[in-house]
Amino acid sequence: MTEPSKKEQLYQLIHANPFISQQDLAADLGLSRSAVAGHIASLIRERRLLGRAYVLPAPRGQRPVVCIGAANVDRKLRTIATLQAGTSNPATASETYGGVARNIAENLARLHTPVALLTALGDDGAGRALQDHAQAAGIDTRGSLALADTASGTYTAILDAEGELHVALADMALYDQLTPEFLASRAPQRAAAALTVADLNLPLETVAALIDSARADHAPLVIVAVSQPKMARLPHDLHGVRLLILNRAELETVAGRPLPTEADVRLACAGVQQRGARDVIVTCGSQGVFHTCDGQLVWLAAHQVKVVDVTGAGDAFSAAVCWSLVQDNDDSADLTLACRRGLALAAVTVQSASTVAPALDAGLLEAISNTDAAHDPGHSAPLYTTN
């Protein structure tokens, strides 16, 4: 068997690592930098590469979902008895991998969806562990930002004996390094995406740049909220956003007022759409979800299951919605069906002690049909109190 040509060897090295430098290619192949540049130019002319960072074209069904945002080490402390404020509580402790964008990416990978994660990682043991775990799960992290002399992000959740979240503390300053300039350096990889999902751990300017890019390229963009304080990172102009996913408290922050009734939620969602977002999903925990649909608001009840741990349920919901948008072709996707799938995946997740349920299967979502997704007019959305 003849040895592959230098150009073919170069192509294989790029295929293994799209962000490899020309200097490393030259050293690995024993070529000059000018020879490497010549082979790359030839591959681009042949459309075997799409330009810097040498992103390889993929068939439509194999285009990845690109998730941009946080990848943390999650620490969970859960009380053994009823949680009491202002005193020491006996508790159990566990540590796992988290971050909204990372959790969504892992859910998608476990649903056998090609997925890439653009995040910031420190040069500590946690950063190396996060990268190793992502690779083992099937998440492409090669475009992520590696930061020297920096600790990786952490999220600490305090749960009561029933697994409900009471307070969470997040150290995520390193994600401020995910700047618009960083996004520009990853433009070819983002251009190859079937769908882009961004969480609001990103700086305001970066979120705005993503929205501008989505609007200019007519590319679907989903924004997922992470907390009430970080709603300040949502730009006012949302033209270009395919879908905004947030919970009721976060929507109240956007609206600047309490939303005690369905009519209030409807008006607040309409306000978000007037700012440019095509659709809005409002999650309400164990009570279900609202979503916009042709100028109306649809409510769907949550599955009533035994809760082990709520951590990651919202991210599982978002992942299933994104999976549905990709599978069903975004332009024709049924958002009610997508939310039904999201509720099903969230129910699996809250019954697991893991942030991402290990036993996910795309068949669970595929089994939910348009008929199942039809809204039952016999169910009414609950009225909420102001507290």
Side-chain angles (χ1 to χ4, degrees):
M1 182 180 294
T2 59
E3 183 179 355
S5 68
K6 290 292 186 181
K7 185 169 83 170
E8 289 304 315
Q9 292 178 51
L10 180 144
Y11 179 81
Q12 293 303 321
L13 287 172
I14 291 172
H15 191 279
N17 179 11
F19 291 90
I20 190 171
S21 69
Q22 288 193 14
Q23 182 176 346
D24 288 341
L25 287 168
D28 288 348
L29 296 173
L31 296 173
S32 66
R33 287 282 299 274
S34 60
V36 167
H39 286 316
I40 288 171
S42 176
L43 289 166
I44 291 173
R45 284 194 301 272
E46 294 168 12
R47 299 296 293 165
R48 296 174 69 191
L49 299 179
L50 300 183
R52 248 186 114 81
Y54 319 132
V55 177
L56 310 176
R60 182 175 181 83
Q62 297 177 24
R63 293 169 61 195
V65 175
V66 174
C67 300
I68 309 176
N72 315 317
V73 172
D74 278 4
R75 300 186 177 102
K76 295 187 235 179
L77 297 170
R78 180 169 175 169
T79 61
I80 295 171
T82 302
L83 180 65
Q84 298 183 52
T87 187
S88 176
N89 288 264
T92 58
S94 63
E95 191 170 280
T96 186
Y97 304 110
V100 171
R102 194 219 68 87
N103 290 348
I104 292 172
E106 185 181 346
N107 275 282
L108 288 167
R110 291 185 181 276
L111 294 170
H112 309 296
T113 300
V115 61
L117 174 65
L118 298 181
T119 189
L121 297 169
D123 60 353
D124 53 1
R128 291 186 291 274
L130 280 161
Q131 190 139 14
D132 290 344
H133 182 268
Q135 182 177 353
I139 303 168
D140 181 359
T141 62
R142 290 173 294 179
S144 289
L145 181 63
L147 296 171
D149 303 319
T150 303
S152 297
T154 60
Y155 169 88
T156 302
I158 309 300
L159 310 172
D160 64 19
E162 286 71 46
E164 293 291 336
L165 177 68
H166 275 252
V167 68
L169 304 172
D171 179 7
M172 302 187 185
L174 79 166
Y175 302 122
D176 289 341
Q177 301 301 313
L178 298 176
T179 61
E181 292 73 24
F182 167 76
L183 282 186
S185 73
R186 302 300 189 261
Q189 186 177 18
R190 294 191 297 110
L195 177 74
T196 298
V197 186
D199 73 33
L200 289 182
N201 287 300
L202 299 171
L204 171 64
E205 297 79 8
T206 303
V207 180
L210 280 170
I211 294 172
D212 289 345
S213 177
R215 181 170 62 246
D217 299 336
H218 304 286
L221 170 66
V222 175
I223 294 179
V224 182
V226 299
S227 68
Q228 289 176 266
K230 289 190 176 177
M231 293 313 298
R233 300 188 174 200
L234 183 71
H236 182 79
D237 186 353
L238 301 177
H239 290 88
V241 175
R242 167 63 184 90
L243 177 64
L244 174 64
I245 303 176
L246 73 178
N247 64 30
R248 175 177 159 237
E250 290 156 353
L251 182 61
E252 288 180 334
T253 300
V254 172
R257 65 182 187 278
L259 305 173
T261 69
E262 180 181 359
D264 293 311
V265 174
R266 183 184 300 108
L267 284 172
C269 287
V272 173
Q273 289 180 297
Q274 288 170 5
R275 289 167 56 177
R278 178 172 161 186
D279 278 304
V280 184
I281 293 175
V282 185
T283 60
C284 303
S286 61
Q287 294 174 305
V289 301
F290 290 102
H291 75 81
T292 55
C293 180
D294 298 327
Q296 302 299 314
L297 195 67
V298 175
W299 174 74
L300 300 169
H303 296 222
Q304 298 305 305
V305 296
K306 180 177 175 56
V307 174
V308 174
D309 187 340
V310 299
T311 309
D315 302 333
F317 173 88
S318 297
V321 169
C322 293
W323 181 92
S324 199
L325 292 178
V326 172
Q327 293 295 317
D328 298 339
N329 187 1
D330 174 49
D331 288 338
S332 59
D334 182 333
L335 202 53
T336 299
L337 174 58
C339 287
R340 287 282 192 197
R341 289 167 169 167
L343 290 166
L345 201 61
V348 171
T349 303
V350 299
Q351 294 177 85
S352 168
S354 301
T355 300
V356 177
L360 297 186
D361 188 281
L364 168 72
L365 304 186
E366 291 167 347
I368 301 173
S369 68
N370 284 305
T371 301
D372 298 327
H375 181 54
D376 183 353
H379 289 281
S380 299
L383 298 180
Y384 296 107
T385 62
T386 55
N387 46 1

